[in-house]
């Protein structure tokens, strides 16, 4: 175990944060492979999969409105279920869990931090992309590949629905400014981008920062 320190510091949860189509799942998959290669027991928990299992794949953009109380409660519920599964997996020997979701509000992130308190360390990894060409490409790829649109026969209608969903997220989005975090800003555009870190220390978090600096070239 190369994560010395208090018991909760020996287990690490990487919580992805970001608007849809910002490369969170791509980042999660790359981190999972890298950490496993380093020899750390790592597992990727995709909250979208939990949502689809519990609520189906035919949710329209309205389900993601910030003022849709039932939708917000349903999405928080599946995020908590994923976190509970992750913590149970850690109790059985898992070391690094990756929570892949938008996690776009402080209240959601506070819920996850409260669940993790005394059990593991949390690092937020926020992916930010301001390049409209990259976003348009990512949106169309997302609609093409996401199970949410598997039954949608009109591709352009799917794109419009996804953009509407994205607009709802943008209205309530709160950038990370709490806890330990790494911000990846325009790093998937191929133009260098910027990495911001706050309160990051320890062997494994340091390796993660090192990896993310070069992730766009891997």
């Amino acid at each position: 175990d190369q994560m010395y320190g208090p018991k909760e510091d020996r287990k690490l949860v990487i919580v992805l944060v970001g608007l849809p189509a910002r490369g969170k799942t791509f980042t999660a998959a790359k981190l999972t492979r890298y950490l496993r290669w380093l020899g750390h027991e790592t597992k990727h928990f995709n909250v979208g999969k939990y949502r689809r299992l519990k609520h189906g794949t035919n949710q329209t953009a309205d389900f993601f409105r910030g003022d849709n109380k039932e939708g917000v409660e349903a999405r928080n519920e599946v995020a908590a279920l994923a976190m509970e599964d992750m913590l149970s997996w850690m109790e059985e020997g898992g070391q690094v869990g990756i929570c892949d979701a938008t996690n776009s509000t402080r209240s959601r992130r506070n819920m996850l931090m409260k669940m993790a308190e005394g059990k593991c360390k949390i690092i937020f990894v926020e992916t930010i992309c301001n390049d409209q060409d990259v976003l348009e490409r990512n949106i169309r790829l997302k609609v093409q590949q996401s199970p949410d649109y598997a039954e949608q026969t009109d591709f352009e209608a799917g794109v419009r629905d996804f953009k509407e969903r994205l607009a709802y997220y943008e209205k309530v989005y709160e950038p990370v400014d709490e806890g330990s975090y790494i911000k990846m800003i325009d790093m998937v555009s191929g133009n260098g981008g910027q990495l911001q870190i706050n309160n990051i220390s320890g062997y494994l978090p340091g390796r993660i920062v090192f990896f993310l600096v070069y992730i766009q070239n891997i």
Side-chain angles (χ1 to χ4, degrees):
D1 185 354
Q2 293 172 307
M3 295 179 65
Y4 300 109
K7 182 179 178 182
E8 61 268 25
D9 286 351
R10 298 180 187 177
K11 305 286 185 178
L12 178 65
V13 171
I14 300 169
V15 175
L16 274 295
V17 179
L19 291 166
R22 262 61 178 185
K24 295 183 299 298
T25 298
F26 170 84
T27 302
K30 290 282 189 179
L31 276 171
T32 300
R33 286 196 293 269
Y34 174 65
L35 293 169
R36 286 175 177 170
W37 178 76
L38 287 180
H40 301 286
E41 192 69 30
T42 305
K43 189 171 182 180
H44 177 189
F45 292 80
N46 185 294
V47 176
K49 290 182 179 179
Y50 283 77
R51 169 178 56 78
R52 286 185 282 270
L53 283 170
K54 191 168 180 64
H55 300 287
T57 60
N58 58 346
Q59 300 296 335
T60 65
D62 282 345
F63 181 79
F64 301 91
R65 289 198 335 260
D67 59 355
N68 180 345
K69 185 178 179 181
E70 290 183 357
V72 171
E73 289 177 352
R75 287 183 284 125
N76 282 337
E77 180 186 15
V78 292
L81 285 172
M83 189 68 171
E84 287 171 1
D85 282 354
M86 186 187 301
L87 294 173
S88 296
W89 169 77
M90 285 182 163
E91 288 178 2
E92 296 171 359
Q95 185 181 8
V96 185
I98 300 179
C99 176
D100 179 7
T102 57
N103 297 312
S104 54
T105 63
R106 290 189 187 90
S107 61
R108 162 72 72 82
R109 298 192 295 267
N110 286 338
M111 178 189 78
L112 298 177
M113 285 194 290
K114 187 173 182 180
M115 292 178 71
E117 191 172 354
K119 299 174 182 177
C120 60
K121 181 176 182 177
I122 280 187
I123 292 177
F124 297 112
V125 174
E126 183 176 14
T127 59
I128 300 168
C129 179
N130 300 304
D131 187 316
Q132 293 304 310
D133 291 337
V134 171
L135 285 177
E136 183 66 25
R137 186 170 67 244
N138 285 354
I139 288 168
R140 301 183 78 82
L141 190 63
K142 188 82 172 177
V143 173
Q144 186 179 14
Q145 297 180 346
S146 173
D148 285 345
Y149 297 98
E151 298 178 10
Q152 173 60 266
T153 56
D154 185 339
F155 179 75
E156 293 301 328
V159 170
R160 289 192 295 272
D161 181 84
F162 189 86
K163 287 182 176 180
E164 187 178 355
R165 179 194 303 193
L166 177 54
Y168 289 138
Y169 273 110
E170 287 174 336
K171 287 181 180 179
V172 299
Y173 188 78
E174 296 172 304
V176 176
D177 60 6
E178 71 272 22
S180 300
Y181 63 77
I182 303 167
K183 288 178 184 271
M184 301 173 63
I185 304 171
D186 290 326
M187 292 185 69
V188 295
S189 65
N191 297 320
Q194 181 183 6
L195 199 75
Q196 296 179 359
I197 63 174
N198 180 70
N199 194 28
I200 299 293
S201 62
Y203 167 79
L204 192 50
R207 292 299 296 264
I208 290 168
V209 170
F210 175 80
F211 177 73
L212 291 178
V213 168
Y214 297 102
I215 193 172
Q216 72 271 33
N217 299 318
I218 295 175

